[in-house]
Amino acid sequence: VDFSAKEPGRKWYAPVYEQAAQTYNVPFVNYLTRYIINYDPRWQEWWTLRQQAMGAKDAQQADLQLQGELNRFAGSVEFGLSKYQGAKGVERLF
């Protein structure tokens, strides 16, 4: 599916995600996303606020919206990982 016609801004960042995917697979990105949310106080607070904001909605709708928030955050993590490509990038990351 080509989203570029529907999302013109996607053209500039699609290559960045492709670069990140060459070094870091989806399970790693998901793991790192959850790790950051659990251990970085700034992101813990953000996630708690997101959960509280969903508290007024029905459970199924809240779950779907929180999953969307998590997916967008994982996209940000993956974008950040694009700065750490290949074996040397992994060494710099850790």
Side-chain angles (χ1 to χ4, degrees), residues 75-90:
S76 295
V77 169
E78 187 172 17
F79 185 83
L81 286 171
S82 67
K83 298 175 188 174
Y84 303 94
Q85 293 302 308
K88 290 187 181 208
V90 172

Side-chain angles (χ1 to χ4, degrees), residues 1-72:
V1 177
D2 180 15
F3 292 106
S4 60
K6 296 178 184 175
E7 299 174 15
R10 185 177 178 90
K11 289 180 182 178
W12 72 266
Y13 64 78
V16 173
Y17 287 104
E18 290 170 14
Q19 289 172 356
Q22 291 174 9
T23 303
Y24 306 100
N25 61 21
V26 172
F28 177 78
V29 173
N30 290 339
Y31 169 80
L32 183 58
T33 299
R34 287 176 172 85
Y35 184 89
I36 290 168
I37 288 173
N38 281 302
Y39 295 102
D40 186 311
R42 294 170 298 174
W43 292 109
Q44 283 177 345
E45 183 178 354
W46 172 81
W47 187 246
T48 299
L49 290 171
R50 298 309 309 141
Q51 289 174 313
Q52 291 170 351
M54 301 298 158
K57 301 180 183 213
D58 74 63
Q60 187 175 10
Q61 184 182 12
D63 286 345
L64 285 172
Q65 287 189 311
L66 285 171
Q67 184 62 48
E69 294 282 345
L70 188 61
N71 290 344
R72 283 185 288 281

